[in-house]
Amino acid sequence: MTKAARLLRDVFGFDAFRPGQKEIIDAVSTGENVLAIMPTGGGKSLCFQLPALLRDGVTVVISPLIALMRDQVRALQEAGVEAGALTSGNTDAETDAVWDALAAERLKLLYMAPERLAAGSVVHMLRRTNVSMIAVDEAHCVSQWGHDFRPDYLRIGELRRTLDVPLAAFTATADGETQAEIVEKLFDAAAPRTFLHGFDRPNIHLAFTVKNSPRRQILEFAAARRGQSGIVYCGTRAKTEALAAALREDRHSACHYHGGMEAEDRRQVETRFAREDGLIVVATVAFGMGIDKPDIRWVAHADLPKSIEAYYQEIGRAGRDGAPAETLTLFGPEDIRLRRSQIDEGLAPSERRAADHGRLNALLGLAEALKCRRVQLLGYFGEVAAPCGNCDLCDSPPEIFEATTAVRKALSAILRTDERFGAGHLIDILTGNQTDRIKARGHDGLPTFGVGGEFNRSQWQAVFRQMMGHDLVRPDPERHGALRMTDTARPILRGESNITLRRDTIASARRQPAVKAQVADEDAPLLSALKAKRRALAESARVPAYVIFPDRTLIEMAETRPADLDAMAQINGVGAKKLERYGAVFLEVITGTDETVHPVRRKLAGRAAGSVFDRLLAVQSDLARGPEGTDKPLSCSTSQLAKVAQLRPADSGGLERLLGERRAERFGGAFLDVLRAVE
């Protein structure tokens, strides 16, 4: 029996390794740099804990959650392994015990949060300690654009270089882009040995359904599983509290959890969930990473998650013991609108926002899938799978229909409007709805105007949603949500390939009571962009966002779309000072162009003197070399033009006092003509 097998039996109590564990443990034990991607419940922690016992010195484990670290340290200590953690939750006695064990060279595993690496004293301490390896749990947290980004994970690569020791990184969810980012940030792009042991969790039943009284749907789902431990994920803190109360009213043991709670209240919920059977936690995404409870029997999403990675991370908390577990994800148009606005209001570069819209499209594709969800889910992570027989679509295949003609109509409308409009305006074109915007742009004369009579507005929304799910179209961050075709759409538009869609989704689409939105669908992406700019300015100035502009001012900007500073000055809430300070910045968001305006002219924006100034400037340009164009160049300063525009002298004498004799002689007659014309 090998030493590893003996430790597996004697320390951890297992007779055999799980699939994939042994080769990872061998690589880590021999000092190779390793990136291991294993499904939740696949035994990742053993892949660095056992090598730590095989190697001399201390293994430093970087983990994002105190509760998870404390659980693993307690389990190791119970098994007779010298392990400790340096966390903010330690008692003085616990911290002293860790330091004593380090000094005596007894400690084999030292757990710490990534934030500890910000303290130079900790790094100096590790340099004096016999550290033989670094293990990184939840390595996807290093991805700056991922759903669980932790900034201090970016310090781990520097720690590896400082200590000059091998590093082993572990995660359960990482698409190709995230894997590349892990390698770049943790291993300096020097390729580690990578183990990809699949993402499949075959014991978890997958199900999605369109929202239709979501509170009732969650209550019915929980009632059918009464007495089982479960998690309900919600998009807002308020919803967690309301839904937890509704579950308690329905005689469930339930509590809520979100980032706005006091730390002690959150710890109490975590402790209850770990110890109580049948407890339901209704939570935001602040709850769950590192939860080691093996018998969570179900996970429900009351709102659509942010991405497939987030979805899979969250449902992965169910059924870690390998026994059957169930999931339910509710989704609807409001969820998609919310997720789009969160992307558009973010401060990420446009290319990253475009990629995030693509990720959301992939999640919509899973929600609107035509066949086995597991095939589509694993395909996203690069795995090929056969139909699973353990999802709602395998249980009851959806009705589909040949949708090529309808999709080509939608794509044609996008193309004929130069990919400059969102779904709301495009649906108005397809259904022949003569709105003011349609008529103002002449879109009622397009060949596609009114050709979509086979569907009503709600049904066309379902068609566009499925088109996004097939990644045929994506919102363009540079054009405030206007839909842009992807390369996948072009063969369909050219008649080179066909497409089928779900009929049940379209047939069930009906006009719902409208949720009161701040602006019309067509203006929502621009409002999100304006809010993002406001947030960036507010954070830079360290003031509340409303100090820059209140919501009602941004809403008016989004609806009226001022084209210049004069029009911007007419927006309620845009006074002279704010126009001077912020007008050009917000105008650039609206128009997409950086219009440089002289400060003197900016002060006249929105006033009658502004348009007079522009006319005077044009006249001056015409007469700069005299009436015949042969004289020596001459011009007035912008300050002089502004005074003329504001004071409006009535005769040549008044002009001469403002401009001087030479300039009054050159421009006086033409300037007086301008001033008389505006009286």
Side-chain angles (χ1 to χ4, degrees):
M1 178 182 293
T2 64
K3 186 176 181 181
R6 188 164 56 252
L7 288 170
L8 180 70
R9 184 195 62 194
D10 296 344
V11 176
F12 298 98
F14 300 121
D15 292 326
F17 292 106
R18 294 185 188 180
Q21 281 184 323
K22 187 176 186 305
E23 58 184 336
I24 296 173
I25 288 170
D26 288 344
V28 175
S29 300
T30 56
E32 294 186 60
N33 288 321
V34 166
L35 169 59
I37 301 165
M38 307 170 68
T40 302
K44 293 188 297 295
S45 58
L46 185 74
C47 292
F48 58 81
Q49 290 174 347
L50 196 153
L53 304 185
L54 291 170
R55 295 175 61 83
D56 293 333
V58 180
T59 291
V60 175
V61 182
I62 309 296
S63 181
L65 289 178
I66 291 176
L68 177 62
M69 288 189 274
R70 294 177 72 85
D71 286 347
Q72 291 197 6
V73 167
R74 279 195 293 266
L76 288 165
Q77 290 174 345
E78 287 291 325
V81 176
E82 286 275 4
L86 292 176
T87 77
S88 58
N90 279 18
T91 64
D92 290 341
E94 288 172 332
T95 299
D96 289 343
V98 172
W99 290 117
D100 291 343
L102 275 172
E105 298 186 353
R106 297 193 314 270
L107 206 68
K108 295 302 297 178
L109 292 107
L110 173 62
Y111 284 76
M112 64 176 61
E115 288 74 16
R116 284 263 168 178
L117 301 181
S121 58
V122 171
V123 176
H124 289 313
M125 176 273 291
L126 293 176
R127 292 180 67 177
R128 297 193 304 270
T129 304
N130 183 23
V131 175
S132 65
M133 180 177 70
I134 300 170
V136 181
D137 202 6
E138 309 290 358
H140 63 275
C141 292
V142 79
S143 175
Q144 193 162 358
W145 308 108
H147 60 286
D148 284 324
F149 174 55
R150 297 282 286 267
D152 287 289
Y153 263 68
L154 298 174
R155 302 178 186 273
I156 297 173
E158 178 61 31
L159 178 66
R160 182 188 66 81
R161 291 189 295 272
T162 298
L163 300 180
D164 192 24
V165 294
L167 185 145
F170 299 86
T171 183
T173 50
D175 61 7
E177 186 178 7
T178 303
Q179 291 175 38
E181 198 166 356
I182 291 171
V183 171
E184 176 190 352
K185 300 292 174 55
L186 298 185
F187 299 96
D188 299 325
R193 187 171 175 190
T194 300
F195 297 89
L196 181 57
H197 282 297
F199 294 90
D200 194 13
R201 296 286 304 285
N203 60 311
I204 298 179
H205 185 274
L206 309 177
F208 283 71
T209 191
V210 175
K211 284 184 177 180
N212 179 15
S213 184
R215 178 177 295 195
R216 174 186 56 78
Q217 289 171 293
I218 293 294
L219 290 176
E220 289 178 353
F221 187 77
R225 293 149 186 84
R226 191 174 296 276
Q228 297 179 0
S229 296
I231 303 174
V232 181
Y233 283 108
C234 298
T236 66
R237 295 174 178 180
K239 190 176 289 187
T240 68
E241 298 181 13
L243 194 48
L247 285 163
R248 287 193 295 271
E249 290 175 10
D250 201 31
R251 305 187 315 280
H252 293 278
S253 177
C255 55
H256 68 271
Y257 184 106
H258 57 68
M261 297 166 59
E262 294 293 332
E264 180 56 33
D265 293 336
R266 293 200 305 271
R267 278 194 290 271
Q268 288 179 7
V269 173
E270 291 167 357
T271 301
R272 283 188 63 191
F273 191 62
R275 296 177 181 174
E276 291 184 25
D277 291 331
L279 181 67
I280 300 171
V281 174
V282 186
T284 62
V285 294
F287 180 80
M289 186 168 65
I291 290 295
D292 209 19
K293 186 178 176 70
D295 57 348
I296 300 171
R297 295 271 63 87
W298 57 270
V299 171
H301 283 90
D303 301 297
L304 190 72
K306 291 182 178 180
S307 64
I308 284 187
E309 291 90 345
Y311 165 75
Y312 208 38
Q313 186 86 10
E314 288 151 17
I315 67 166
R317 282 139 200 173
R320 291 169 64 104
D321 55 4
E326 295 175 278
T327 69
L328 173 67
T329 301
L330 305 181
F331 69 101
E334 286 301 316
D335 291 315
I336 300 164
R337 189 177 297 116
L338 172 65
R339 294 305 186 195
R340 295 286 187 212
S341 68
Q342 287 173 336
I343 295 170
D344 291 334
E345 290 177 29
L347 302 181
S350 60
E351 63 271 15
R352 177 59 64 170
R353 282 182 280 136
D356 287 341
H357 279 303
R359 284 191 169 97
L360 182 56
N361 273 3
L363 182 59
L364 292 180
L366 182 62
E368 300 275 13
L370 305 178
K371 54 187 179 182
C372 175
R373 294 197 194 278
R374 190 166 266 100
V375 168
Q376 185 142 346
L377 177 62
L378 296 179
Y380 177 82
F381 292 109
E383 291 188 25
V384 178
C388 68
N390 196 28
C391 72
D392 56 341
L393 298 183
C394 285
D395 298 340
S396 180
E399 182 184 0
I400 61 175
F401 74 103
E402 218 298 322
T404 305
T405 299
V407 170
R408 288 186 70 191
K409 289 177 182 179
L411 294 174
S412 178
I414 292 171
L415 196 63
R416 291 179 184 277
T417 53
D418 298 322
E419 300 178 307
R420 290 185 174 275
F421 298 92
H425 187 82
L426 295 167
I427 291 171
D428 284 334
I429 293 173
L430 291 166
T431 56
N433 185 17
Q434 291 219 13
T435 67
D436 290 341
R437 284 184 176 176
I438 291 287
K439 289 184 281 189
R441 292 175 171 86
H443 290 166
D444 50 349
L446 292 174
T448 47
F449 185 77
V451 299
E454 68 268 38
F455 297 132
N456 62 32
R457 185 175 190 84
S458 297
Q459 289 170 331
W460 270 115
Q461 288 171 339
V463 170
F464 274 95
R465 191 168 66 238
Q466 291 194 62
M467 288 170 62
M468 292 179 188
H470 286 273
D471 204 31
L472 303 181
V473 293
R474 292 185 185 182
D476 185 347
E478 294 295 306
R479 295 185 177 182
H480 310 308
L483 294 181
R484 182 182 290 277
M485 289 192 299
T486 67
D487 290 340
T488 310
R490 301 192 184 280
I492 297 173
L493 184 63
R494 293 193 295 259
E496 297 169 359
S497 63
N498 297 332
I499 185 170
T500 56
L501 298 180
R502 288 180 60 159
R503 186 181 296 280
D504 57 332
T505 298
I506 294 172
S508 64
R510 58 189 185 279
R511 187 169 296 279
Q512 301 282 349
V515 176
K516 181 62 177 174
Q518 288 186 299
V519 294
D521 285 354
E522 192 67 19
D523 298 321
L526 176 55
L527 179 60
S528 293
L530 292 169
K531 285 184 175 180
K533 177 57 70 176
R534 179 181 65 177
R535 180 156 65 91
L537 292 169
E539 289 178 356
S540 177
R542 298 184 178 181
V543 297
Y546 66 81
V547 170
I548 308 296
F549 285 125
D551 275 1
R552 63 179 179 273
T553 298
L554 298 189
I555 289 170
E556 189 174 342
M557 287 184 193
E559 291 177 336
T560 61
R561 303 192 180 216
D564 53 36
L565 285 177
D566 290 326
M568 178 71 81
Q570 306 307 313
I571 301 291
N572 287 303
V574 182
K577 284 290 185 184
K578 288 194 175 182
L579 181 69
E580 184 176 352
R581 185 174 299 170
Y582 303 121
V585 175
F586 283 88
L587 192 63
E588 183 180 352
V589 174
I590 295 167
T591 64
T593 59
D594 181 9
E595 181 183 356
T596 302
V597 179
H598 194 283
V600 171
R601 174 62 178 88
R602 190 179 301 151
K603 289 180 179 179
L604 300 178
R607 297 157 57 186
S611 59
V612 175
F613 178 96
D614 293 338
R615 295 182 195 181
L616 294 174
L617 193 64
V619 167
Q620 175 185 258
S621 178
D622 291 340
L623 295 174
R625 286 185 172 272
E628 305 300 326
T630 57
D631 297 339
K632 184 177 180 180
L634 183 67
S635 64
C636 304
S637 70
T638 52
S639 296
Q640 288 174 319
L641 290 178
K643 287 180 181 178
V644 172
Q646 291 171 293
L647 299 177
R648 301 189 189 184
D651 53 34
S652 56
L655 273 176
E656 187 172 329
R657 285 191 293 273
L658 292 176
L659 302 179
E661 183 179 348
R662 281 195 313 128
R663 290 180 175 82
E665 182 181 353
R666 174 77 61 90
F667 305 114
F671 280 8
L672 287 173
D673 288 343
V674 170
L675 296 176
R676 293 186 187 108
V678 297
E679 287 179 354

